[in-house]
Amino acid sequence: MNLTLSAGQRAAAARFDELFGEDMRDDLRRMGNRELGAGAIAPLDEDETDVRQAVWQTFCELGGLRGLTVAEQVVVAEKVGAALYQSPWADTAVAIELAAAAGHDDLGARMTDGEAVAVAVRERTGDEPDRPGRLDLDGGVHAVRQFVAFAADVSWFLLAGVAAAGPRLLLVPGDHPGVTWRRHDDIGRGDFYEVTFRGVPVADVVELAAGAPAADAWAAALVTARIRHAAQLVGAAQAALDETVAYTRERRQFGQPVGSFQGPAFRMADLSTRVHAARLLTCYAAWLADEGDDARLAAYEALATAADLVRSAGTEAVQLHGAVGMTEEHDAQLFYRRAAVDALLWGRPTELRRAAAALLTEAVRRR
Amino acid sequence: MRFNFTEEQEEFRRQVREFLAEDRVRKVADAVRHLPPREEPGLLDVYRWLGEKRWLAVNWPPEYGGLGGTIVEKSILTEELIRAKVPDLVHIVSIDIVGLVLLLVGTEQQKRTYLPALAAGEQNWSVLYSEPGVGSDLAALRTRAEPDGDGWRLYGRKIYSLKSQFADFALCAARTTDSAVRFHGITLFVVPMRSPGVQIQPIWNMSDEQFCDVTLDGIRLTREHVIGEVDGGWQVINEVLPVERTGLEFQAKARRLLDEVLQRAARDGTLDDPAYQQRLVELHAAATAAHLMAWQVISDLRDGRLDGVTTARSKLYATELFKQISEFALEIGGLDATLSGWDAADNGGGRREAAHREGPGITLSAGTSEIMRYLIASTGLQLLS
C-alpha cells in the first residue's frame, strides 16, 4: 500500500509540464473554438490546423503515446484534461492498443509517432460506444458515424461496427476519397464530425479483428479508454476548481474577497474532496489494469464518478465566478460547456452505472 | 502507486479474521447485538484475548504490550473488528487516541504505568474535551485546574463524552492559566475516573451509546497527572486530532453497512431492479473511494507524513457517505428497515435502524463536517482569509 505517485508517474507527468503549462494554456483551451453556428459550414482554418498539428506532433514527440503503463497514462490524461486540450490522443491510444492486440506492430508504431486516429463507432448521435453501429461490407465499406473526433485531421479512422457477418474493427485511411465528413455544432464546440464511408474498397482497409475477437477486443479497449477518460475529467475538474479558487481569492464584494465567505468556500472544499476521491478511484482502476486484474467495475465506477464530478465542477465554476464566468473570454464557461460533452463521450454515466450494477450483482451473488 | 498489501500484512489480516471467527468471539458479538435498550458494551473479553496476542495495540513497542508493528497492521485490525461486528469504540478511544497521546508526549513513567494495561485490554480510558457550550471551539473550555500546593484541584463539567462510565482513567483538557492568547494555558491531565470527586450521569441520545455528563469536583492532581507540558495541551490536542480523522473506521463502517444492504438486496431481488441499482452503484463507488482515501492517509502516517487537509477530506467523505448509505438502507429496505433490533419480528435487520441513529454522531465527533470543510478551505485552498 503506497498511494503516492510512483517515479514513473512523476516522470511521465513532468514531460508535459511545459506543453501544458501556464504559457500555453490560453491557446490550448481555445484551439477548437469556432463561431457559434458555423461548425457545419465553415472551412477549416489553415493556421488553426497548423497549430493543432504542431501541438499534436509535440505531444507525440514527448512520448504521450509511447510505452506508458496505464497508471502513467492517467497522470498524463489529467494534464490533458486540465489544459482542456482536445486532441486525437484518446482515440489514438485506443487504436494503438487494438493494433498491438491484432499483431500490427508496424501500424502501432506509426500511430505512436503521430499518425492520429479517430474512433468511428456511433451510428446515431445518441448511441453508446459499447454498441457499435451498422456496417455494410457489400461492394466496399459503407457506414455513417457520428461524433467522430478530428475527422479532418487524422491519418486513420478506427471504424467499429457490426456487419452482416458479425463485428468488425477496421482501419480506414483518413484521406480516402470514399470518406466525407461535416462538422457537428455541439455545446462544447469540439472537433466532432459526422463521417460517411461510401464504398471504401475492402482492399484499402486494414481489418484489425473480426467476429467474436473483435467484440472482445473492443470491450477490452473501452475499459482502458474509460480509465484514461476518467483521469482526463478529473484533471478538468481540478483545473475548474483551481480557476475558481484563484478568482474568488481576488474578487472582492462587501469589502472582502468572495472566497473569504463560508458559503462559496465550503462548496469549493466539497468539490476538492470529490476531486480527490475521483482521482483515487481512477488511479485504482489503472493499477488494476496494469496488474492484469479485472478492472471493468472500477473503470465504470471511476468514469461515472468523474463524469458527475466534472459537470458539478463546471457548474460551480460559473456560479462562483458570477456573470463574468459566462463571458466568452473567461474559462469558466469553457469548463461548463466541455463538461457537458465530455461527461457523455465514453458512455452516459447512467449507462456506465447500469453496466457496473450487473458486475456488482454478480460479485455479491458470488460471495 | 501500489494498492495492495504485502504478504505479511495479508497474512496478519488472515490471522485476525480467523481469530474473530472463533466461537468465543462470535458469542460476544451476538451478546452485544442482543443487549437490552440502554445497555452498551464496555470492555469486552475480545479485547483481552486480542491483548494476549499483543494485537490490540499491535503498533506499540513491545515494552508497552504491542508487537512493534506499524499503523498499517493497526488499521487492518480495526477494519477486521468492524467487519466482524465487534464493537470498536472503546478500543479506538483507548488505543488510538489516548494511547497515541501518551506515546507522543507521555513521560517514560506514564507510559510504563498506563500503556501495558491498555494494550492488554484490561483498562480503558475516555476523553473529556467538550463542555456545555463548548464543542468545536474547544479553546473556550471552562474546566479549571486551580493551583493547590504542589498540584491542582480540578473543577468543571464535561459532556458528550463516550464510554466514560466504563473508564478507569480519562484524558481531560482543563485551563491552568488565563491567557490573552486563549490557545495557551490549556493542560492535558490524566483523571482517575474512580475518584470520589467524579460523578457521571448518562445523557440519553438517539444512538445506542449514551453520552456522559461528567462532573469534576475538586479532584486532586499532581505533576504526575500532567500529560505533556503544563499550559501546552493545545498543541498536543491538535497534533492528535488529525489521527482521529483518518476516516479508516468510518469507511469500514460505511462499507459494512453497504455490504449488508447489498446482501439483503440480493436476497429480496431489489439488487436486480434498475431503479435501485443506480444509487447502489454510486454508493459502492463512493465506498471504494472512501476506502482508498483512508488508506492513503494511513500510508502517509506510516511514512511519517501527516497532512491535516488530506485527513480532513477523508473524514468528511467517509462520514458523510455513511449517512447517505444509512438513509438509502432505509429507502431500499422500506419500513422493514425502520424496525429496531428489539422489535419482536426482528431478523437481524435492526442493524440498519441502529446505523441510521448512529450516523449523525459520526459527522459531529472528532471534528464536525463543517470544521473539516473549514480546514480544507482554509489550509488546503487558502480561502477564508
Side-chain angles (χ1 to χ4, degrees):
Chain A
M1 194 62 72
N2 183 346
L3 304 194
T4 51
L5 290 183
S6 69
Q9 285 176 309
R10 284 197 305 273
R15 266 189 264 166
F16 297 92
D17 279 346
E18 200 181 336
L19 182 61
F20 295 131
E22 287 285 336
D23 294 350
M24 295 285 291
R25 184 158 294 165
D26 284 349
D27 293 328
L28 282 182
R29 284 184 178 169
R30 284 176 170 69
M31 232 165 37
N33 260 14
R34 297 283 177 88
E35 281 306 306
L36 201 61
I41 48 170
L44 279 182
D45 182 308
E46 276 188 28
D47 289 345
E48 271 185 18
T49 305
D50 287 348
V51 173
R52 217 164 43 235
Q53 294 285 10
V55 174
W56 171 247
Q57 278 309 321
T58 307
F59 180 79
C60 293
E61 281 160 21
L62 289 170
L65 290 161
R66 186 171 295 117
L68 300 177
T69 65
V70 183
E72 289 160 358
Q73 291 174 36
V74 298
V75 295
V76 175
E78 269 207 46
K79 296 215 150 207
V80 168
L84 287 180
Y85 172 46
Q86 296 181 296
S87 79
W89 164 72
D91 288 8
T92 307
V94 169
I96 290 171
E97 208 171 297
L98 290 170
H104 284 282
D105 294 344
D106 51 328
L107 276 176
R110 280 158 61 187
M111 292 169 186
T112 301
D113 287 338
E115 286 193 10
V117 182
V119 166
V121 61
R122 289 177 167 88
E123 183 176 348
R124 286 158 307 199
T125 44
D127 285 351
E128 288 290 286
D130 303 73
R131 290 180 282 280
R134 282 174 303 165
L135 195 60
D136 183 358
L137 298 177
D138 217 13
V141 176
H142 295 267
V144 178
R145 290 294 181 266
Q146 311 290 342
F147 275 90
V148 182
F150 299 94
D153 289 354
V154 295
S155 305
W156 299 95
F157 292 101
L158 171 64
L159 179 56
V162 181
R168 290 286 185 281
L169 291 173
L170 308 173
L171 282 174
V172 181
D175 57 359
H176 198 283
V179 183
T180 56
W181 41 261
R182 72 168 178 88
R183 186 164 166 159
H184 291 311
D185 203 315
D186 68 280
I187 186 170
R189 298 193 210 163
D191 262 299
F192 290 108
Y193 298 79
E194 176 186 85
V195 177
T196 305
F197 302 85
R198 205 172 274 118
V200 179
V202 171
D204 296 348
V205 169
V206 180
E207 184 180 276
L208 287 179
D216 292 346
W218 180 245
L222 277 179
V223 175
T224 33
R226 283 175 168 144
I227 297 169
R228 281 189 294 268
H229 194 59
Q232 196 178 326
L233 301 187
V234 169
Q238 177 76 66
L241 171 65
D242 291 346
E243 295 280 342
T244 310
V245 168
Y247 181 78
T248 54
R249 289 185 52 182
E250 296 300 320
R251 163 81 172 168
R252 298 176 75 87
Q253 290 288 279
F254 306 101
Q256 49 184 316
V258 169
S260 69
F261 295 104
Q262 284 194 340
F266 278 17
R267 286 163 64 169
M268 288 182 263
D270 280 338
L271 207 49
S272 117
T273 304
R274 287 175 63 192
V275 169
H276 192 65
R279 175 177 292 134
L280 281 173
L281 274 181
T282 304
C283 289
Y284 174 59
W287 179 80
L288 287 174
D290 281 331
E291 292 285 300
D293 291 340
D294 186 349
R296 290 175 301 161
L297 178 59
Y300 285 131
E301 291 189 342
L303 182 52
T305 303
D308 288 342
L309 166 69
V310 78
R311 293 187 286 203
S312 297
T315 306
E316 290 287 67
V318 175
Q319 177 67 21
L320 294 172
H321 275 78
V324 75
M326 295 181 68
T327 61
E328 297 248 330
E329 76 260 30
H330 217 287
D331 288 355
Q333 48 90 25
L334 272 185
F335 284 102
Y336 179 82
R337 292 191 290 114
R338 295 273 174 81
V341 178
D342 288 342
L344 306 175
L345 197 56
W346 289 92
R348 293 171 171 88
T350 301
E351 292 299 327
L352 299 172
R353 283 190 290 267
R354 187 203 301 278
L359 297 174
L360 184 59
T361 302
E362 206 179 287
V364 171
R365 292 242 154 83
R366 234 192 350 255
R367 235 180 269 154
Chain B
M1 286 179 151
R2 200 165 46 75
F3 289 85
N4 56 348
F5 294 94
T6 65
E7 279 294 321
E8 294 76 28
Q9 289 160 353
E10 290 289 4
E11 176 57 26
F12 178 65
R13 191 185 287 276
R14 263 193 300 275
Q15 288 176 11
V16 171
R17 198 171 282 193
E18 215 168 273
F19 163 72
L20 293 173
E22 285 179 17
D23 276 350
R24 53 178 177 160
V25 177
R26 298 327 310 155
K27 274 187 194 140
V28 173
D30 279 347
V32 168
R33 200 155 69 75
H34 292 108
L35 282 175
R38 305 215 156 163
E39 281 187 29
E40 62 183 282
L43 260 186
L44 298 170
D45 286 341
V46 180
Y47 298 154
R48 212 161 33 73
W49 300 330
L50 284 166
E52 285 165 8
K53 293 175 179 290
R54 293 180 163 255
W55 286 351
L56 195 61
V58 61
N59 53 324
W60 290 4
E63 62 265 37
Y64 306 132
L67 280 179
T70 70
I71 188 162
V72 171
E73 287 77 28
K74 177 66 202 41
S75 303
I76 289 173
L77 175 76
T78 301
E79 278 194 330
E80 290 303 316
L81 282 176
I82 290 168
R83 187 178 174 277
K85 304 186 177 93
V86 175
D88 65 312
L89 189 56
V90 167
H91 166 246
I92 298 258
V93 173
S94 297
I95 305 292
D96 292 356
I97 301 172
V98 175
L100 183 73
V101 171
L102 288 170
L103 280 172
L104 279 175
V105 298
T107 63
E108 190 52 41
Q109 181 58 40
Q110 285 169 337
K111 291 182 199 173
R112 291 196 180 281
T113 306
Y114 300 118
L115 291 179
L118 285 177
E122 286 163 359
Q123 283 187 354
N124 74 290
W125 287 43
S126 74
V127 175
L128 302 178
Y129 286 172
S130 294
E131 300 178 4
V134 179
S136 294
D137 183 14
L138 187 56
L141 60 82
R142 284 178 303 221
T143 294
R144 306 190 54 82
E146 294 179 358
D148 177 58
D150 61 345
W152 298 265
R153 287 209 178 259
L154 189 63
Y155 295 95
R157 190 172 155 216
K158 296 285 185 179
I159 57 172
Y160 302 148
S161 68
L162 295 168
K163 305 293 183 189
S164 293
Q165 72 272 38
F166 304 115
D168 300 280
F169 296 93
L171 184 68
C172 179
R175 188 159 285 286
T176 33
T177 302
D178 285 315
S179 168
V181 183
R182 62 203 198 103
F183 302 115
H184 177 76
I186 293 170
T187 302
L188 285 178
F189 290 100
V190 183
V191 175
M193 292 297 277
R194 316 261 191 234
S195 330
V198 177
Q199 284 214 1
I200 304 172
Q201 294 294 325
I203 305 172
W204 301 113
N205 68 81
M206 72 168 159
S207 86
D208 280 342
E209 265 124 9
Q210 68 173 61
F211 291 138
C212 296
D213 182 339
V214 180
T215 307
L216 305 159
D217 188 15
I219 299 148
R220 165 84 184 150
L221 300 169
T222 68
R223 291 293 303 203
E224 281 167 22
H225 295 98
V226 175
I227 311 270
E229 304 281 322
V230 173
D231 292 341
W234 186 255
Q235 287 80 352
V236 180
I237 292 170
N238 274 290
E239 205 176 327
V240 176
L241 270 177
V243 181
E244 287 185 58
R245 296 172 181 161
T246 61
L248 185 92
E249 69 269 25
F250 301 126
Q251 63 83 23
K253 286 182 177 182
R255 185 59 211 236
R256 184 184 71 189
L257 183 58
L258 180 63
D259 278 343
E260 169 147 4
V261 170
L262 287 168
Q263 296 290 351
R264 283 179 171 276
R267 285 200 298 276
D268 68 19
T270 30
L271 190 57
D272 303 301
D273 185 340
Y276 294 101
Q277 283 180 340
Q278 289 285 320
R279 185 74 180 135
L280 283 172
V281 170
E282 275 176 9
L283 293 172
H284 182 262
T288 307
H291 174 80
L292 299 171
M293 288 165 95
W295 276 100
Q296 187 178 47
V297 172
I298 298 296
S299 62
D300 278 354
L301 282 171
R302 176 201 58 198
D303 298 341
R305 286 188 303 272
L306 181 56
D307 173 355
V309 176
T310 312
T311 54
R313 283 204 203 101
S314 182
K315 198 268 176 184
L316 173 66
Y317 194 84
T319 54
E320 292 292 334
L321 172 64
F322 183 91
K323 291 206 296 195
Q324 290 176 33
I325 294 175
S326 85
E327 192 175 297
F328 193 67
L330 301 198
E331 165 79 17
I332 194 169
L335 284 176
D336 179 58
T338 68
L339 291 176
S340 82
W342 301 296
D343 183 85
D346 175 59
N347 56 357
R351 279 196 293 276
R352 293 167 297 174
E353 182 267 352
H356 199 54
R357 288 184 288 109
E358 184 185 359
I362 67 173
T363 50
L364 293 173
S365 67
T368 63
S369 291
E370 287 64 39
I371 294 290
M372 297 306 102
R373 291 186 177 102
Y374 176 85
L375 287 170
I376 298 161
S378 60
T379 312
L381 303 176
Q382 309 294 308
L383 294 167
L384 294 172
S385 60

